[in-house]
Amino acid sequence: SQQGEEDPQALSIQEGENATMNCSYKTSINNLQWYRQNSGRGLVHLILIRSNEREKHSGRLRVTLDTSKKSSSLLITASRAADTASYFCATDVGGDGRQLTFGSGTQLTVLP
Amino acid sequence: DAGVIQSPRHEVTEMGQEVTLRCKPISGHNSLFWYRQTMMRGLELLIYFNNNVPIDDSGMPEDRFSAKMPNASFSTLKIQPSEPRDSAVYFCASTKGGLAGREQFFGPGTRLTVL
């Protein structure tokens, strides 16, 4: 099974609402990264959180990491229609960014 | 910076034909990755290179797949002969790696359809 597993698999919300996506993983990691993929495009890096960090912010994004539970969450506040995309977590065990294991992704739909 | 460049963007071929996918990583990045994405299996790492040397090809599905990186600015992924089950989107990504940067930068992908 994959190192990172996101839930829910799909999420549909209204514009302006917050969206929360979760990621669980199995082994110890150096860092965890979140990526976004718009339909028909490549993945784009959003944010990286190191194993010694608990929370990180970037604009409307808030990421938490709980290494004791081996889980992370991505919160998008005040969502917009343009946030509609698939979101993937990726675990980095070695810490050098060369061996990322991607989860199966959460498809987020933000309705205008 | 132009980002990671992949060609072609779309490829339609018939079973048994040879397919070659191309990638130009971001200048200065010393690691390059080939991924395959399908609905059934998600995003799978096929192979990655560090300083033009293949490091881990355990994800390459079978001998029909081969990848080369003759220099720091070019890589190819070849499928010969192609089969319908190879239909997928193939992504190339690159990174500086290590302390210089751990995020990977993805190309737009090549959508391969094998009839």
Side-chain angles (χ1 to χ4, degrees), chain A residues 3-18:
Chain A
Q3 165 76 319
E5 293 292 339
E6 288 93 336
D7 90 273
Q9 290 189 341
L11 178 63
S12 185
I13 59 174
Q14 293 292 135
E15 206 165 26
E17 295 180 339
N18 297 341

Side-chain angles (χ1 to χ4, degrees), chain A residues 24-48:
Chain A
S24 59
Y25 57 92
K26 295 182 170 57
T27 65
S28 296
I29 59 173
N30 176 280
N31 67 80
L32 185 144
Q33 305 178 27
W34 285 90
Y35 288 77
R36 182 186 73 217
Q37 183 180 31
N38 289 84
S39 179
R41 303 284 188 92
L43 279 72
V44 174
H45 179 264
L46 293 176
I47 194 167
L48 179 153

Side-chain angles (χ1 to χ4, degrees), chain A:
Chain A
S1 60
Q2 297 199 44
Q3 165 76 319
E5 293 292 339
E6 288 93 336
D7 90 273
Q9 290 189 341
L11 178 63
S12 185
I13 59 174
Q14 293 292 135
E15 206 165 26
E17 295 180 339
N18 297 341
T20 300
M21 289 158 272
N22 302 297
C23 170
S24 59
Y25 57 92
K26 295 182 170 57
T27 65
S28 296
I29 59 173
N30 176 280
N31 67 80
L32 185 144
Q33 305 178 27
W34 285 90
Y35 288 77
R36 182 186 73 217
Q37 183 180 31
N38 289 84
S39 179
R41 303 284 188 92
L43 279 72
V44 174
H45 179 264
L46 293 176
I47 194 167
L48 179 153
I49 186 165
R50 293 181 174 79
S51 59
N52 61 354
E53 298 176 309
R54 292 296 167 258
E55 188 170 312
K56 201 162 184 180
H57 297 254
S58 177
R60 294 184 295 112
L61 304 181
R62 172 178 169 248
V63 170
T64 62
L65 180 64
D66 187 335
T67 53
S68 66
K69 294 181 179 178
K70 292 186 169 57
S71 68
S72 174
S73 67
L74 172 67
L75 168 68
I76 304 174
T77 60
S79 63
R80 306 166 182 167
D83 294 328
T84 294
S86 292
Y87 291 82
F88 296 85
C89 67
T91 51
D92 184 355
V93 174
D96 63 2
R98 295 193 176 96
Q99 287 187 294
L100 301 184
T101 304
F102 287 84
S104 50
T106 293
Q107 171 62 50
L108 172 67
T109 302
V110 181
L111 303 169

